[in-house]
């Protein structure tokens, strides 16, 4: 009996926590309370923590060159600040809200690409302004483009997964 009650309670808590996040406005202001990595932050909105995955971009993983620099860039840009979140209300497979983050009329997502700390994630984005920013950063050898060789983050993750399955 106790086990069934516990399962019911856990299910209810999970449902309520996801239900409130699902009803977010397409634009809202929230305080940045955490930086997970270069393309993932945590914000506080209406006393609720929400994980945000930056739209249109992919940053190097923490263990890749420029992964930590990307994370630091994001922290310098918006940690502990009130930012504008712009979203279409979509979530990724990890239940992160996909969004654009704006602070003082600058778009964090675009700033990361322009400074060479992120790539345009063409698989999930058709916004050509990110292509232009990436080409400029590459031409100027900014950030990750200063390296002779690099591995795209999505290939790095795939390689990491295949290593685990072959062990």
């Amino acid at each position: 009996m106790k086990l069934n009650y516990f399962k019911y309670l856990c299910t209810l808590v999970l449902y309520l926590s996801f239900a409130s996040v699902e009803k977010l406005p397409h634009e809202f202001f929230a305080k940045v309370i955490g930086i997970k990595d270069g393309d993932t932050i945590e914000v506080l909105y209406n006393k609720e923590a929400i994980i945000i995955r930056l739209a249109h971009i992919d940053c190097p993983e923490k263990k890749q060159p420029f992964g930590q620099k990307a994370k630091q860039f994001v922290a310098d840009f918006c940690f502990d600040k009130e930012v504008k979140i712009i979203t279409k209300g979509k979530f990724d497979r990890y239940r992160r809200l996909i969004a654009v983050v704006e602070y003082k009329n600058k778009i964090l997502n675009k700033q990361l690409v322009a400074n060479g700390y992120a790539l345009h994630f063409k698989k999930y984005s058709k916004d050509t302004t990110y292509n232009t920013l990436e080409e400029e950063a590459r031409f100027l050898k900014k950030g990750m483009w200063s390296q002779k060789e690099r591995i795209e983050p999505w290939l790095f993750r795939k390689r990491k997964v295949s290593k685990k399955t072959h062990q």
Side-chain angles (χ1 to χ4, degrees), residues 17-19 21-22 50-51 91-97:
S17 66
F18 286 139
V21 171
E22 300 286 342
I50 302 168
I51 306 294
F91 292 81
D92 69 5
R93 63 182 171 176
Y94 302 110
R95 304 282 311 149
R96 300 176 297 187
L97 180 66

Side-chain angles (χ1 to χ4, degrees), residues 31-35 42-44 48-50 78-81:
K31 184 175 183 175
V32 178
I33 59 171
I35 311 296
E42 186 173 6
V43 299
L44 191 62
E48 186 175 348
I50 302 168
C78 64
F79 182 70
D80 204 31
K81 295 176 178 134

Side-chain angles (χ1 to χ4, degrees), residues 8 26 30 67 107 134 163 167:
Y8 171 77
H26 290 292
I107 305 289
E134 184 179 302
K163 279 184 181 179
Q167 288 178 350

Side-chain angles (χ1 to χ4, degrees), residues 63-167:
K63 293 186 178 184
Q64 281 187 274
F66 290 92
Q68 289 296 333
K69 288 184 180 186
K71 182 179 178 180
Q72 188 60 54
F73 183 90
V74 173
D76 294 343
F77 186 91
C78 64
F79 182 70
D80 204 31
K81 295 176 178 134
E82 194 84 12
V83 298
K84 183 178 184 179
I85 306 296
I86 305 160
T87 180
K88 293 179 180 174
K90 295 184 178 179
F91 292 81
D92 69 5
R93 63 182 171 176
Y94 302 110
R95 304 282 311 149
R96 300 176 297 187
L97 180 66
I98 299 167
V100 169
V101 174
E102 184 179 317
Y103 180 69
K104 291 189 175 180
N105 296 318
K106 288 188 177 182
I107 305 289
L108 171 60
N109 313 46
K110 290 183 178 182
Q111 292 296 310
L112 281 159
V113 175
N115 286 281
Y117 296 121
L119 295 161
H120 179 210
F121 209 172
K122 295 174 184 94
K123 181 178 178 180
Y124 298 105
S125 168
K126 303 297 179 227
D127 187 333
T128 57
T129 59
Y130 288 90
N131 277 345
T132 305
L133 293 169
E134 184 179 302
E135 288 170 11
E136 289 173 13
R138 184 180 300 180
F139 178 77
L140 297 171
K141 296 188 181 337
K142 288 185 169 185
M144 72 176 88
W145 303 111
S146 64
Q147 307 170 96
K148 286 188 179 186
E149 295 181 24
R150 77 203 60 68
I151 300 172
E152 287 82 357
W154 52 88
L155 295 177
F156 182 84
R157 287 189 295 271
K158 189 182 273 190
R159 194 175 77 178
K160 193 175 172 183
V161 168
S162 67
K163 279 184 181 179
K164 284 181 182 177
T165 57
H166 288 102
Q167 288 178 350

